[in-house]
Amino acid sequence: MYDEVVLCKCENNKSTVCLIHGYVQNGSSGKLQQNGQPKGSSSATTRSRRKGKKSEVVDLWTLLTLCAQAVANYDQRTANDFLKQIRQHSSPFGDGIQRLAHYFANGLEVRLAGTRTPVQTHLASSRASAAEVLQAYKVYVSSCPFNRMTFFMANRMILKLAEKATRLHIVDFGIGYGFQWPCLIQRISKRPGGPPKIRMTAIEFPQPGFKPAERVEETGHRLKCYSQRFGVPFEYNTIAQKWQNIQLEDLKIDREEMTVVICLYRMRNLPDDTVVINSPRDAVLELIKKINPDIFIHGVVNGTYNAPFFLPRFREALFHFSTFFDMFESTVPREDQGRMIFEREIYGKDAMNVIACEGIERVERPETYKQWQARNLRAGFKQLELDKDILKTIRTLVKSNFHPDFVIDEAGEWMLQGWKGRLAYALSFWKPVKD
């Protein structure tokens, strides 16, 4: 199952299908079969509920907003009344807006209870088994190009950079399950003259409990198996601690190696400037500058739901997460188990954290790509140009293999990805400026 999800499917080096993260094919075609809205689906913000001969129209978006206002005003009675109405019309098995309402109601309920229970990021606290995670991820990458095109662009840049390198050191901030790397290992094994030795430093936030590095070590075992299978010399080292506390010496940088630093969509989980005086985000960028990599690959979630005040943050989060529930509603059948797992374990938990937590416990703290651009420039990085040929290939792949409402764009040397005109993710490439 892992092979099916993460490996390239074609042995022909000239095939573009082989270059991306591996299509999960349905039948004989690499295209999605659900290239449109499944029968009976709806992305509207209202739904009808028939009672006898009367039809009641319920606006879940408005109900959620009114409930959030009551929660913000500490009006428990009114909030509970709205929650009761939302519960009657929402479900994790319904259409997109019903599922969105279900998970946002969960967050409002926890916040209203005042427990302020720490809600960890999905990678740290997931109850899902490895098989369920793979099942969910398989559905995600087969229906949505966001991760796949990010990996495509990043891996192609790394392969281009390491064309003649004999040793390659990849420092991955937020490696997670390492889904990006088997395809790169497979591709680089076919390099003329043989592959380089890959040394990977895998960095993650510590898991709660007695085994803070267990998840990242499991990722290493899988990647070692792939490197042995494809004949690529491979070394794997783990660091599971607060990123801002990592020292340059911990990374054992060798100036004779080609060094790549990559962080895809995980710096949003670092505390921002409103939480602590000395910004951990700036500290990590300063560490990356000291590493002095040949390239720094930076992917960001383009989010505006990081306001210090609850109500504006809730409204922005509602708008942001509605994009993803609408996307699934248009591309994946409602009864699909992988979709349900992904919505519960990823979107549901992220929304819970945004809504129910404050202070250091709120780990979902995105910034826009323009804010990150300003931060990276202040930290002493210069931006590299996007490879226009790779970007052209990506546009062709998305247009020919995914729902027409997915968008690939470019602005200020960032590759932008979104759905129905709503910008969700951005990717860029950087190098430290020499002092």
Side-chain angles (χ1 to χ4, degrees):
M1 189 188 232
Y2 203 92
D3 280 3
E4 188 180 353
V5 173
V6 301
L7 287 182
C8 305
K9 295 294 184 294
C10 175
E11 294 302 319
N12 179 1
N13 288 336
K14 295 182 181 179
S15 170
T16 55
V17 174
C18 173
L19 294 176
I20 69 169
H21 192 51
Y23 282 109
V24 182
Q25 297 188 8
N26 293 315
S28 60
S29 171
K31 289 189 178 183
L32 291 173
Q33 290 182 344
Q34 298 94 19
N35 198 22
Q37 193 157 299
K39 184 178 180 182
S41 68
S42 170
S43 58
T45 59
T46 61
R47 66 173 292 231
S48 292
R49 182 184 177 97
R50 188 168 295 277
K51 291 186 177 181
K53 296 182 179 180
K54 295 183 179 180
S55 181
E56 176 190 0
V57 178
V58 179
D59 186 344
L60 286 168
W61 192 283
T62 299
L63 282 176
L64 286 166
T65 304
L66 291 172
C67 185
Q69 289 174 345
V71 171
N73 293 329
Y74 304 100
D75 185 347
Q76 194 156 11
R77 182 175 178 179
T78 302
N80 278 321
D81 288 343
F82 282 127
L83 272 174
K84 186 177 179 180
Q85 292 182 63
I86 294 167
R87 291 297 188 199
Q88 287 175 342
H89 301 284
S90 65
S91 164
F93 312 108
D95 63 22
I97 186 64
Q98 292 166 359
R99 294 176 187 220
L100 173 76
H102 170 79
Y103 290 110
F104 269 63
N106 287 349
L108 288 169
E109 201 165 53
V110 171
R111 186 178 183 92
L112 188 63
T115 56
R116 297 291 193 273
T117 304
V119 182
Q120 302 290 337
T121 57
H122 56 270
L123 285 173
S125 66
S126 175
R127 298 191 313 264
S129 67
E132 286 180 320
V133 169
L134 280 172
Q135 181 185 4
Y137 185 73
K138 179 179 175 180
V139 169
Y140 178 68
V141 297
S142 64
S143 61
C144 165
F146 296 151
N147 267 27
R148 213 187 269 178
M149 295 305 117
T150 297
F151 294 166
F152 178 86
M153 175 65 89
N155 284 355
R156 285 292 294 272
M157 289 294 287
I158 294 171
L159 288 167
K160 184 178 176 181
L161 191 70
E163 189 175 8
K164 296 181 180 178
T166 56
R167 291 187 293 159
L168 174 63
H169 184 190
I170 299 173
V171 182
D172 188 347
F173 283 86
I175 191 169
Y177 292 95
F179 288 138
Q180 176 179 358
W181 302 120
C183 198
L184 177 78
I185 293 169
Q186 182 184 11
R187 295 285 302 168
I188 212 166
S189 70
K190 300 173 184 177
R191 192 184 72 170
K197 177 188 176 182
I198 296 178
R199 181 161 71 98
M200 186 166 289
T201 300
I203 300 172
E204 258 303 347
F205 298 110
Q207 281 182 264
F210 296 108
K211 297 180 179 179
E214 183 177 30
R215 182 72 55 81
V216 71
E217 287 170 354
E218 289 173 355
T219 296
H221 293 317
R222 285 191 293 270
L223 295 181
K224 284 178 182 177
C225 289
Y226 280 112
S227 63
Q228 291 171 1
R229 176 171 161 186
F230 293 113
V232 177
F234 188 79
E235 178 186 334
Y236 186 87
N237 302 294
T238 64
I239 297 176
Q241 65 181 68
K242 292 181 178 179
W243 295 3
Q244 63 268 31
N245 295 338
I246 298 172
Q247 302 299 313
L248 182 64
E249 297 74 30
D250 300 331
L251 302 170
K252 300 180 175 62
I253 299 299
D254 184 341
R255 300 300 175 192
E256 299 299 315
E257 294 176 320
M258 177 163 287
T259 304
V260 172
V261 173
I262 184 166
C263 183
L264 298 181
Y265 312 128
R266 295 295 303 286
M267 281 203 190
R268 75 183 195 276
N269 298 136
L270 288 168
D272 63 16
D273 307 29
T274 65
V275 181
V276 291
I277 297 174
N278 297 317
S279 169
R281 300 184 180 199
D282 290 342
V284 172
L285 289 175
E286 181 62 30
L287 172 63
I288 294 171
K289 188 180 178 186
K290 289 178 183 176
I291 294 171
N292 194 26
D294 293 276
I295 194 169
F296 166 39
I297 304 172
H298 192 192
V300 303
V301 173
N302 189 75
T304 55
Y305 53 96
N306 189 26
F309 303 108
F310 169 66
L311 199 53
R313 184 170 79 239
F314 180 89
R315 288 178 177 138
E316 290 292 343
L318 190 60
F319 182 77
H320 179 87
F321 285 96
S322 69
T323 300
F324 300 113
F325 283 92
D326 180 56
M327 175 198 76
F328 267 150
E329 182 67 10
S330 300
T331 57
V332 184
R334 292 177 189 167
E335 65 273 12
D336 190 287
Q337 286 296 314
R339 171 185 170 180
M340 294 180 196
I341 295 168
F342 200 93
E343 288 171 336
R344 183 189 74 222
E345 294 295 322
I346 307 298
Y347 300 144
K349 288 188 176 181
D350 286 354
M352 171 70 76
N353 187 268
V354 172
I355 297 166
C357 296
E358 295 291 350
I360 201 71
E361 293 169 358
R362 180 162 63 85
V363 296
E364 288 296 319
R365 294 176 172 271
E367 295 179 302
T368 67
Y369 79 92
K370 290 183 179 179
Q371 287 174 307
W372 276 111
Q373 176 151 355
R375 189 186 288 274
N376 288 355
L377 290 171
R378 284 199 311 270
F381 289 88
K382 65 177 179 180
Q383 194 168 4
L384 305 178
E385 289 186 5
L386 285 176
D387 188 306
K388 300 302 186 288
D389 291 334
I390 301 176
L391 189 62
K392 184 179 178 182
T393 303
I394 287 173
R395 282 197 171 110
T396 302
L397 287 169
V398 172
K399 186 176 180 180
S400 60
N401 290 282
F402 291 94
H403 192 285
D405 283 329
F406 284 109
V407 178
I408 298 289
D409 207 349
E410 167 193 6
E413 303 302 335
W414 289 79
M415 182 179 82
L416 309 177
Q417 298 189 78
W419 169 259
K420 292 184 178 178
R422 302 178 192 175
L423 175 57
Y425 297 99
L427 181 72
S428 58
F429 303 90
W430 303 80
K431 278 196 73 167
V433 176
K434 293 182 180 179
D435 294 327

